[in-house]
Amino acid sequence: EVQLLESGGGLVQPGDSLRLSCAASGFSFGSYAMTWVRQAPGKGLEWVSGISGSGATTYYADSVKGRFSISRDNSRNTVYLQINSLRVEDTAVYYCAKADIVLMVFASFDYWGQGALVTVSS
Amino acid sequence: DILMTQTPISLSVTPGQPASISCKSSQSLLHSDGKTYLDWYLQKPGQSPQLLIYEVSNRFSAVPDRFSGSGSGTDFTLKISRVEAEDVGVYYCMQSIQHTFGQGTRLEIK
């Protein structure tokens, strides 16, 4: 059974940094791209970042480029999202999702975690 | 950037009746490999999103056959042949070339 478990969310202040983690199990982790999708309170889904199965290629939405950094550790079956210079508008539930192929391009997201809430407020 | 537009924003359906959601992309989602990269997701109340349909018309594992997807190029449709109470939630289309979502369509039961 595929399982994705996010952690690292919480209440932070504007300008702070935060690292989200997503621990995966139930599939051959390095054979699939992984992605992060966020959802602001009461809003729709916004794709923010993705990483290929090997970790060699990363992708970012224009809205987060330069502040977000995605990485993965295939020995630990874990993907990370480093968020720097947090803004109030980054407040959202951040979902980790598994892609159905090794690359991000053309990937569908077939399994999702339960999400990690990040609240940015002073 | 490829923009995705869904209609309607919300719909209320009597159980057993059909439902249809439209999704339009600002650019063709047909790739030179012959595939069209359009997915549908459902987010049930209080839950994470789940994949329903990939590449326009392929149902994901365990998705009931009352869900069907169709379309080509820039115009796509998700149809539910007979709505059930468990189908309540917000439906999103997503183009899987650049991974942008539509704004969502909320389905409720009458």
Side-chain angles (χ1 to χ4, degrees), chain A residues 37 39 42-47 62 95 100 104-115, chain B residues 1 31 33 37 39 41 43 47-51 54-55 60 92 94 96-99 101 103:
Chain A
V37 175
Q39 185 171 38
K43 302 296 185 182
L45 301 174
E46 180 190 17
W47 174 80
D62 288 344
Y95 294 102
D100 62 345
M104 271 298 298
V105 183
F106 310 134
S108 302
F109 306 147
D110 54 4
Y111 293 94
W112 297 62
Q114 86 290 346
Chain B
D1 291 357
H31 189 259
D33 62 6
Y37 291 99
D39 301 337
Y41 296 82
Q43 186 173 30
Q47 296 187 18
S48 303
Q50 59 188 88
L51 176 64
Y54 63 95
E55 293 172 15
F60 184 57
Y92 296 92
M94 185 196 79
S96 50
I97 300 173
Q98 298 172 347
H99 301 104
F101 291 90
Q103 71 271 48

Side-chain angles (χ1 to χ4, degrees), chain B:
Chain B
D1 291 357
I2 302 175
L3 300 180
M4 308 298 291
T5 304
Q6 289 181 232
T7 54
I9 296 299
S10 66
L11 70 165
S12 182
V13 181
T14 300
Q17 294 300 111
S20 180
I21 300 170
S22 172
C23 175
K24 296 184 187 295
S25 58
S26 60
Q27 300 176 32
S28 175
L29 302 183
L30 172 64
H31 189 259
S32 57
D33 62 6
K35 295 181 180 180
T36 301
Y37 291 99
L38 186 283
D39 301 337
W40 290 95
Y41 296 82
L42 165 60
Q43 186 173 30
K44 295 183 178 181
Q47 296 187 18
S48 303
Q50 59 188 88
L51 176 64
L52 291 178
I53 303 279
Y54 63 95
E55 293 172 15
V56 179
S57 60
N58 298 287
R59 277 188 302 276
F60 184 57
S61 175
V63 173
D65 60 7
R66 64 179 181 275
F67 290 92
S68 64
S70 63
S72 62
T74 60
D75 292 341
F76 306 95
T77 302
L78 176 70
K79 291 183 179 177
I80 309 173
S81 59
R82 295 173 306 279
V83 170
E84 297 187 4
E86 66 180 26
D87 301 334
V88 164
V90 181
Y91 291 79
Y92 296 92
C93 61
M94 185 196 79
Q95 55 88 5
S96 50
I97 300 173
Q98 298 172 347
H99 301 104
T100 51
F101 291 90
Q103 71 271 48
T105 295
R106 184 174 301 276
L107 173 68
E108 63 177 32
I109 298 295
K110 276 185 185 175

Side-chain angles (χ1 to χ4, degrees), chain A residues 17-93:
Chain A
S17 296
L18 189 72
R19 188 177 81 159
L20 301 176
S21 301
C22 173
S25 61
F27 63 99
S28 179
F29 185 69
S31 297
Y32 298 93
M34 297 293 294
T35 196
W36 290 92
V37 175
R38 69 181 178 182
Q39 185 171 38
K43 302 296 185 182
L45 301 174
E46 180 190 17
W47 174 80
V48 294
S49 185
I51 186 167
S52 62
S54 69
T57 309
T58 57
Y59 309 80
Y60 299 95
D62 288 344
S63 60
V64 305
K65 213 170 281 186
R67 292 193 304 119
F68 286 31
S69 178
I70 191 170
S71 61
R72 64 190 295 160
D73 184 340
N74 287 352
S75 68
R76 296 178 183 269
N77 287 0
T78 301
V79 60
Y80 305 97
L81 185 68
Q82 176 72 36
I83 310 175
N84 298 325
S85 303
L86 276 151
R87 304 169 179 169
V88 170
E89 55 264 36
D90 295 321
T91 295
V93 174

